[in-house]
Amino acid sequence: MTVAPGLSAVAPDDRIEEWLSADLDHWCRRVVQRHFHPETGSPYWLRRAAELPFDPRDITRYEELTELGPLTLDTLRTGDPGDLVPRAVPRPLAGRVWESGGTTGTPCRVFYTPDMVRHRGLWRRWSFVTEGFQEGRSWLQATPTGPHLIGNGVWEAAELFAGQVYAIDMDPRWVKRLIRAGRLADVGDYTTHLLEQIADVLGPGRVSYLNTTPALFQALRQRHPELVAGLEGVRLSGTQITPAMYHTFRESLGGGICGISYGNTFGNAASLPVAPDAGLIGYVPNYPQVTMAVVRKDDWTTPVDYGAVGQVRLTVLHEDLFLPNILERDQAVRLRTEHWPCDGVANVRPLQETSSAPEGLY
């Protein structure tokens, strides 16, 4: 396995086992102490600490993070991403600033240290393995590019999964702008532009696996069913996919692998195995750095019962990035997991269906 410069070469499976055995309360204390350290903490959280009526370093359990309140997305839209990184990380910071899709306004921005990139990459590799993808195959990365973290899948498939990776150009914000303006003919033209890029790579039969979004795969399946049938598998990364869509996609692959994940720039979750007649698609977060709770829509501090629907609350507990209590614009079923150290989520979909915030090709 090739490892990016400066990153630890600990065996991937050993690292995953280490993370899954972590005690969440202990991990929470470790992250809180790091970000609120008076001398080496993160500038943003030290400023917040001065405004709080208590010492955040007294937080000892994961459940107590609610005392910090929800993190507003404006913090990630207008602030310096480097201010969220502890000063324990040497300055000047060197790395990528990644952005959200910008569906609900100005994009949110976060800085990823090499350790954070590695964490996400190893979980992606784990999901590839558990879903049945084989190392050393060729991939086409047909996802948003530029500032979008999902485009880093090129590195994940190539460096961590020994793959040869092709890619296309894709700007999802342009599609969303066209939709808002009612320029549906232009949306169709842009979709055709993307499908032509995909078909150009898939046509000769040199690619085994496709990594794309559910919406774009749906368009590909309808326009070029023969190209989909020729794939050995597809990996779908996006904000939502229904059980009906999943089963349709599996049929179009003719027995090929259909792996899926849920998440965004801040945190991701991998899907659990989906039974042929399943009515639920469940996901487990990249523990312990990412956790997801399903909470009441009228009280973000209170989880709903297992099996009930509520709003997704995301908490990011990286050593180098602390984002507690992000209230997502998604709703989901709270999922009890038998072999995972935290709750999962299932059947994710938008909290409110509205034409003012279209998902476009996500």
Side-chain angles (χ1 to χ4, degrees):
M1 178 189 70
T2 305
V3 178
L7 298 183
S8 169
V10 174
D13 292 342
D14 292 343
R15 182 62 77 198
I16 294 294
E17 184 177 348
E18 175 187 329
W19 287 332
L20 287 177
S21 65
D23 177 80
L24 187 54
D25 288 338
H26 180 269
W27 185 270
C28 176
R29 289 194 295 272
R30 175 178 172 179
V31 170
V32 168
Q33 292 296 323
R34 178 174 171 85
H35 283 269
F36 286 100
H37 190 283
E39 297 176 358
T40 60
S42 55
Y44 171 79
W45 286 111
L46 290 178
R47 290 195 299 268
R48 280 289 310 277
E51 303 168 353
L52 294 172
F54 64 95
D55 187 342
R57 290 176 296 174
D58 290 337
I59 291 176
T60 60
R61 295 186 298 112
Y62 174 79
E63 288 77 9
E64 294 171 353
L65 291 177
T66 56
E67 297 178 15
L68 295 171
L71 184 74
T72 62
L73 292 183
D74 282 345
T75 300
L76 306 178
R77 290 185 174 119
T78 62
D80 180 351
D83 281 354
L84 286 161
V85 181
R87 292 199 175 278
V89 178
R91 263 53 174 184
L93 294 173
R96 284 291 301 269
V97 174
W98 299 102
E99 298 184 5
S100 66
T103 296
T104 58
T106 303
C108 298
R109 296 177 174 89
V110 291
F111 180 89
Y112 264 55
T113 63
D115 282 347
M116 292 172 61
V117 173
R118 177 105 179 133
H119 169 264
R120 183 182 187 276
L122 290 183
W123 272 118
R124 290 275 287 182
R125 180 190 180 280
W126 175 86
S127 65
F128 291 163
V129 172
T130 57
E131 289 163 348
F133 293 97
Q134 300 296 311
E135 290 193 43
R137 303 295 181 86
S138 55
W139 290 74
L140 170 58
Q141 182 82 14
T143 64
T145 49
H148 303 284
L149 183 57
I150 190 174
N152 201 51
V154 171
W155 173 79
E156 293 160 352
E159 298 296 318
L160 293 176
F161 216 56
Q164 185 180 38
V165 188
Y166 298 84
I168 68 168
D169 285 325
M170 178 179 175
D171 181 0
R173 294 177 189 164
W174 179 243
V175 177
K176 293 174 183 178
R177 181 173 180 176
L178 294 175
I179 294 174
R180 289 191 180 96
R183 297 166 57 183
L184 300 185
D186 291 331
V187 173
D189 287 343
Y190 191 76
T191 301
T192 296
H193 166 64
L194 297 177
L195 294 177
E196 287 175 347
Q197 293 182 68
I198 294 173
D200 180 60
V201 177
L202 296 185
R206 57 195 168 196
V207 168
S208 299
Y209 303 134
L210 171 65
N211 189 8
T212 190
T213 67
L216 194 52
F217 186 68
Q218 176 80 307
L220 179 67
R221 184 185 68 84
Q222 294 170 344
R223 193 82 58 91
H224 298 288
E226 76 287 353
L227 296 180
V228 169
L231 291 168
E232 295 180 34
V234 64
R235 189 61 163 48
L236 301 174
S237 303
T239 55
Q240 56 180 304
I241 181 172
T242 66
M245 289 171 62
Y246 175 82
H247 296 308
T248 298
F249 291 167
R250 281 295 306 272
E251 290 177 3
S252 67
L253 287 164
I257 302 166
C258 184
I260 50 179
S261 65
Y262 160 65
N264 53 34
T265 306
F266 317 127
N268 281 67
S271 69
L272 295 169
V274 182
D277 57 348
L280 280 180
I281 293 182
Y283 305 87
V284 286
N286 297 355
Y287 184 90
Q289 289 91 339
V290 177
T291 61
M292 295 174 179
V294 181
V295 299
R296 289 175 47 176
K297 298 177 184 180
D298 60 350
D299 179 9
W300 68 270
T301 65
T302 304
V304 300
D305 294 334
Y306 286 109
V309 175
Q311 185 172 9
V312 177
R313 187 185 73 201
L314 172 71
T315 291
V316 177
L317 287 167
H318 280 284
E319 292 178 294
D320 296 337
L321 182 67
F322 176 48
L323 305 175
N325 309 318
I326 295 176
L327 300 179
E328 297 281 28
R329 50 188 177 84
D330 299 322
Q331 64 181 14
V333 174
R334 184 185 181 190
L335 183 67
R336 187 191 301 274
T337 55
E338 296 182 2
H339 305 294
W340 212 255
C342 65
D343 282 353
V345 298
N347 286 13
V348 180
R349 60 186 180 91
L351 188 64
Q352 293 181 331
E353 300 284 357
T354 171
S355 60
S356 64
E359 292 297 333
L361 291 175
Y362 267 117

